[in-house]
Amino acid sequence: MQGIDWAYMAELAPIILRYVPLTLTMASIAMVCALVLSVLLAIIRIQRVPVVDWAVGLFISFFRGTPLLVQLFLFYYGLPRIFASLTQIDGITAAIIGLTLHFSAYMAESIRGAILGVDRSQWEAAESLGMTRARMLRRIILPQAARIAAPTLLNYFIDMIKSTSLAFTLGVTEMMGAAQKEAAGSFLYLEAFLVVALMYWIIVEALSFVQRILERRMQRAFQR
Amino acid sequence: MNADCEISVTGLRKSFGPLTVLNGIDLRLKAGERVAIIGPSGTGKSTLLRCMNYLDRPEAGVIRIGDLTVDAATVTRQQILALRRRTSFVFQHYALFANKTARENITEGLIGVRGIPLAEANRRADRILADIGLSDKAGSYPAALSGGQQQRVGIGRAMAMESDLMLFDEPTSALDPEWVGEVLDLIRRVADGRQTMLIVTHEMQFAREIADRIVFMEGGRIVEQGPPAQIFDNPRDERTRAFLRRVG
Ligand SMILES: Nc1ncnc2c1ncn2[C@@H]1O[C@H](COP(=O)(O)OP(=O)(O)OP(=O)(O)O)[C@@H](O)[C@H]1O
Ligand SMILES: [Mg+2]
């Protein structure tokens, strides 16, 4: 068996590292958009807005029912057809849109569960004061739901970071793409992808660490 | 608080599925009147209070508070908000906002419903906290307060709204016995201020002491009502007599 070329890996690491910001940027933008969208979707589901609720149900069902990779291709190749002005959509944009929609479908269900997990007495106390629905959600319900949903949402963020690697299939040179290009010259594919794997692993472990701290903080919130 | 704000409930009906819980309730309160509701469990006392705040939606009946008329047949969202802004509710299980400190629980309605600026709301909250003896707990979250302290904040939150009618649903029955006294004392002081109030309670002695009138309910109806001395010492209806024998 041929040994692993550690020196080559050490050489490659700083090159791949340069693409980490792109990965984190794509994931962060998609996460922020997905958060906003999923809170809206969750509220629509809970308020059972007629017709819209049905459409939201269909949306969630579709984005949970089909593979992310297929969705990304649909956006990349499909959007320019629907919107003629977009002769070409760049891979990064398509990936962000795809990740946003895909993850918001999952996150909407978690957030809905978290909102329903807030004790009924909290709604009633707010209602009894004569608060409007919007204010009630903003001031009382969502802050408490956020605490319930936070660990799950962080899991989705971690998942999203890893999923940005699929942007590679849309021609985006992110960590995977960069590794592929380097390996094409050196033929050391194993080493190149091993570097990528290690880097994802480190990022995810760092986030898990933050997650644990946050969870402990969340448990202590509103206790003193 | 409007000094001459008459309150009336007419023909109030409410059912949960096949179960009729309120079977035509008529009730009037004069401004400043303190009325206690007593009656057996499951008789619709809580439901009556909740309907008066539209936490439960009655199927029929008219609620009047001063110049505001809310008819279940034609009620709008705006009317429900208006009704809630003229009534305040003290819950059996306190129902303090878990993500708000004691002071914020009191200011929340002032700022968000009454539109009072933060600084003024804080001043009022601090006055109320002093009044309910919890100035030192202003920055504590409900989870860090005893049951009695939580309920005092719950009452403070309702007091702050200066509503035309305060509704109390068994405010002491979830409390450990050691905290009942301090909460009753606070309610007594609210009553002494001639706040119009409707209180559901199992504390018969307390009801007799603070109420101008006792209402006895059973089976979704008002069976008998009158001054405490009459209801407790000379009940006319056999059901009232049976109930009072049981509790006491
Ligand atoms: N949300 C609900 N859904 C179904 N049934 C309900 C609901 N709320 C109350 N009920 C029923 O309505 C009846 C009256 O309840 P309510 O709570 O008003 O009684 P109560 O007089 O306050 O009793 P207690 O003294 O035990 O508090 C009970 O039979 C109860 O089970
Ligand atoms: Mg009750």
Side-chain angles (χ1 to χ4, degrees):
Chain A
M1 194 188 83
Q2 206 186 328
I4 291 174
D5 188 341
W6 297 102
Y8 180 65
M9 280 177 66
E11 219 174 280
L12 213 52
I15 298 172
I16 308 289
L17 197 61
R18 282 208 296 272
Y19 293 90
V20 169
L22 175 62
T23 293
L24 294 180
T25 306
M26 281 198 289
S28 303
I29 294 174
M31 187 68 186
V32 171
C33 297
L35 263 177
V36 173
L37 183 58
S38 57
V39 168
L40 284 177
L41 295 178
I43 291 173
I44 289 171
R45 296 231 83 182
I46 282 171
Q47 301 282 89
R48 300 217 189 81
V49 187
V51 189
V52 188
D53 181 45
W54 174 84
V56 169
L58 193 67
F59 172 93
I60 291 176
S61 168
F62 175 79
F63 281 98
R64 300 214 311 179
T66 53
L68 176 57
L69 183 62
V70 176
Q71 292 164 13
L72 291 179
F73 274 57
L74 283 176
F75 288 117
Y76 190 57
Y77 296 106
L79 282 182
R81 281 257 209 101
I82 300 168
F83 304 101
S85 57
L86 293 168
T87 41
Q88 184 66 42
I89 169 174
D90 74 79
I92 295 180
T93 311
I96 290 175
I97 294 174
L99 289 168
T100 298
L101 298 181
H102 180 82
F103 279 88
S104 66
Y106 283 93
M107 285 159 55
E109 293 294 273
S110 301
I111 291 172
R112 186 171 81 108
I115 291 175
L116 294 176
V118 174
D119 199 85
R120 207 167 59 103
S121 68
Q122 301 291 306
W123 295 85
E124 292 192 340
E127 281 174 355
S128 80
L129 291 177
M131 270 193 216
T132 58
R133 200 85 175 157
R135 187 171 173 96
M136 204 182 300
L137 281 166
R138 193 160 50 81
R139 302 277 303 176
I140 308 297
I141 305 302
L142 290 179
Q144 294 187 48
R147 208 168 111 233
I148 300 172
T152 318
L153 295 182
L154 259 167
N155 277 338
Y156 282 126
F157 184 51
I158 287 173
D159 210 1
M160 196 175 271
I161 289 174
K162 292 185 289 182
S163 300
T164 56
S165 61
L166 290 175
F168 164 61
T169 61
L170 305 183
V172 177
T173 309
E174 39 66 76
M175 287 158 69
M176 264 313 268
Q180 165 78 27
K181 274 186 191 153
E182 292 297 325
S186 66
F187 295 103
L188 293 172
Y189 284 97
L190 173 62
E191 281 79 356
F193 292 130
L194 207 52
V195 169
V196 173
L198 284 172
M199 262 176 208
Y200 272 112
W201 195 5
I202 292 167
I203 295 170
V204 169
E205 273 308 308
L207 269 169
S208 306
F209 179 72
V210 174
Q211 190 178 21
R212 277 192 295 276
I213 293 175
L214 207 73
E215 253 171 69
R216 231 172 298 143
R217 286 267 297 269
M218 289 282 176
Q219 264 165 22
R220 278 203 313 256
F222 315 140
Q223 297 297 310
R224 284 148 60 78
Chain B
M1 209 184 326
N2 185 345
D4 37 40
C5 187
E6 271 236 338
I7 293 156
S8 74
V9 173
T10 319
L12 202 66
R13 288 176 180 283
K14 170 75 187 170
S15 40
F16 292 106
L19 178 72
T20 300
V21 176
L22 296 180
N23 201 350
I25 298 281
D26 299 308
L27 187 65
R28 298 181 78 87
L29 281 91
K30 289 200 284 286
E33 201 179 8
R34 296 144 304 188
V35 174
I37 303 180
I38 60 172
S41 187
T43 249
K45 306 183 297 295
S46 297
T47 306
L48 170 59
L49 254 56
R50 293 169 57 83
C51 282
M52 291 184 71
N53 196 260
Y54 264 72
L55 287 175
D56 283 334
R57 233 187 151 99
E59 277 102 52
V62 181
I63 299 170
R64 282 201 186 81
I65 298 189
D67 56 2
L68 174 70
T69 301
V70 181
D71 185 338
T74 56
V75 64
T76 64
R77 190 192 292 248
Q78 283 313 313
Q79 286 176 335
I80 292 177
L81 282 182
L83 177 70
R84 287 176 175 161
R85 288 169 185 187
R86 290 176 148 220
T87 54
S88 51
F89 207 105
V90 175
F91 296 87
Q92 183 173 357
H93 296 279
Y94 337 129
L96 296 186
F97 300 128
N99 61 325
K100 304 273 171 203
T101 63
R103 185 200 271 121
E104 290 165 346
N105 262 277
I106 295 171
T107 55
E108 187 58 39
L110 292 176
I111 298 166
V113 177
R114 304 266 312 271
I116 291 168
L118 176 69
E120 170 62 16
N122 275 332
R123 263 196 298 280
R124 292 195 193 184
D126 287 338
R127 231 178 294 142
I128 284 176
L129 284 164
D131 200 24
I132 63 180
L134 288 174
S135 294
D136 56 328
K137 299 289 184 189
S140 299
Y141 286 99
L145 299 176
S146 75
Q149 290 169 336
Q150 288 189 59
Q151 190 58 298
R152 278 147 67 198
V153 175
I155 294 169
R157 175 174 69 182
M159 283 161 66
M161 301 309 283
E162 300 181 339
S163 53
D164 295 324
L165 172 66
M166 262 174 95
L167 302 162
F168 294 79
D169 188 10
E170 298 195 33
T172 57
S173 58
L175 291 170
D176 286 338
E178 53 183 319
W179 311 124
V180 170
E182 65 186 42
V183 172
L184 289 183
D185 282 342
L186 177 57
I187 299 170
R188 193 175 288 122
R189 279 201 288 129
V190 175
D192 287 345
R194 299 212 64 85
Q195 162 74 50
T196 315
M197 62 162 74
L198 194 51
I199 178 167
V200 174
T201 184
H202 286 303
E203 304 272 347
M204 296 300 154
Q205 187 50 44
F206 181 70
R208 175 193 282 256
E209 212 181 291
I210 65 146
D212 303 302
R213 177 157 44 112
I214 306 289
V215 170
F216 173 71
M217 270 180 75
E218 191 177 293
R221 294 176 196 274
I222 293 176
V223 172
E224 183 171 2
Q225 52 181 314
Q230 179 197 317
I231 299 294
F232 287 118
D233 303 331
N234 277 309
R236 297 204 183 107
D237 197 285
E238 178 47 40
R239 286 168 290 180
T240 316
R241 267 180 248 147
F243 172 75
L244 289 172
R245 263 199 308 278
R246 265 204 315 276
V247 298

